[in-house]
Amino acid sequence: MMFTRVKKLLLWVWTVLSTPAATLSLAFLTLGGFVGGVMFWGAFNTALEMTNKEAFCISCHEMKDNVYEELTRTVHFSNRSGVRASCPDCHVPHEWTHKIARKMQASKEVWGKIFGTINTRKKFLDHRLELAQHEWARLKANDSLECRNCHASVAMDFTKQTQRAADIHSRFLLPGKATCIDCHKGIAHELPSMEGIDPGWKMPPELQGEQLPSASAIDDLKRAIADAHQSVH
């Protein structure tokens, strides 16, 4: 008797599962679609977040043995405040739409990984300038979006900056005449050969002169001592 009931239940389940979708209720299809969508969305975002962690970035030796090693020697990695910028902080936007666009753009790096484009130190150094130029151009195009993940020009306290930095930021960064990457190249990684390339951190012509804006009180003291020596001679 019990076996007959179980058999009928299994047959009913099989009938429901094998029945064409047109015979199912709209509520069932809607619920099924919702549950399936939630599961897909959860899996997608979980995978996305996994690829957005520093551990994923340095899982290949091309990154770990080159640019990551350089990062560990900079102020972005270790500093007095203990705030550390990881690979995704500087190379992946926080906003979802920009993040997806960046992930799609970076998918071509898989091609380089498969074919070993920079799988040795020599190959990496040979391509270093090209890689850097691509990144500079990308940050220039998006107005240094990743830099602004942490740095906001409107939050800058110019009184705590050197006079030179305050002058340049107020004249060029705030009005939008320049963006972060124009002046801040090589802040987390070593620079390639810059021969023939404008590094961007040079003083603008209008701020150049016989006496540049002082960088600190020590500079003022050095300048005063130099002037004193000149007056003596």
Side-chain angles (χ1 to χ4, degrees):
M1 189 70 175
M2 179 62 70
F3 177 76
T4 303
R5 290 181 178 178
V6 172
K7 183 178 180 180
K8 287 182 178 180
L9 178 61
L10 292 175
L11 287 173
W12 177 80
V13 171
W14 172 253
T15 301
V16 172
L17 293 177
S18 61
T19 300
T23 65
L24 299 178
S25 68
L26 179 61
F28 183 85
L29 293 174
T30 302
L31 180 61
F34 176 77
V35 172
V38 169
M39 294 176 64
F40 171 80
W41 187 253
F44 175 79
N45 276 281
T46 299
L48 184 66
E49 287 306 311
M50 288 297 294
T51 64
N52 204 42
K53 294 183 181 296
E54 188 170 75
F56 176 83
C57 298
I58 61 175
S59 61
C60 61
H61 79 91
E62 290 92 334
M63 299 293 291
K64 183 179 180 180
D65 299 340
N66 292 296
V67 290
Y68 179 72
E69 180 64 28
E70 296 169 1
L71 171 65
T72 61
R73 301 193 292 267
T74 70
V75 70
H76 278 92
F77 189 85
S78 180
N79 51 69
R80 65 182 183 276
S81 64
V83 177
R84 176 175 293 177
S86 65
C87 304
D89 290 324
C90 297
H91 293 282
V92 182
H94 285 186
E95 294 81 4
W96 196 84
T97 52
H98 292 293
K99 182 187 296 185
I100 293 300
R102 178 72 184 105
K103 292 293 184 181
M104 294 176 64
Q105 183 185 48
S107 62
K108 64 182 180 181
E109 295 169 9
V110 177
W111 180 273
K113 173 66 176 177
I114 293 173
F115 289 94
T117 305
I118 54 172
N119 61 354
T120 67
R121 178 66 177 174
K122 184 180 184 305
K123 288 182 180 180
F124 173 77
L125 293 177
D126 289 343
H127 286 82
R128 168 152 238 162
L129 178 58
E130 179 187 356
L131 295 170
Q133 288 176 323
H134 284 320
E135 196 66 5
W136 296 338
R138 186 180 67 80
L139 287 168
K140 177 72 173 178
N142 69 11
D143 194 21
S144 302
L145 183 61
E146 286 86 337
C147 300
R148 300 177 193 277
N149 284 345
C150 300
H151 302 279
S153 56
V154 294
M156 288 181 178
D157 186 348
F158 288 168
T159 63
K160 295 182 179 180
Q161 297 181 358
T162 65
Q163 188 62 47
R164 173 182 292 190
D167 286 343
I168 293 177
H169 285 154
S170 61
R171 285 186 166 202
F172 297 95
L173 184 64
L174 291 183
K177 296 179 181 178
T179 188
C180 309
I181 197 61
D182 287 325
C183 298
H184 297 280
K185 296 180 176 72
I187 57 172
H189 308 297
E190 295 175 7
L191 286 169
S193 172
M194 300 297 285
E195 183 178 355
I197 299 174
D198 188 349
W201 43 258
K202 297 185 302 183
M203 288 293 291
E206 57 269 34
L207 293 184
Q208 293 180 358
E210 294 182 1
Q211 183 173 332
L212 295 175
S214 61
S216 66
I218 295 177
D219 287 340
D220 288 336
L221 179 60
K222 289 181 179 178
R223 189 176 294 111
I225 294 173
D227 292 341
H229 279 298
Q230 288 180 356
S231 62
V232 170
H233 295 293

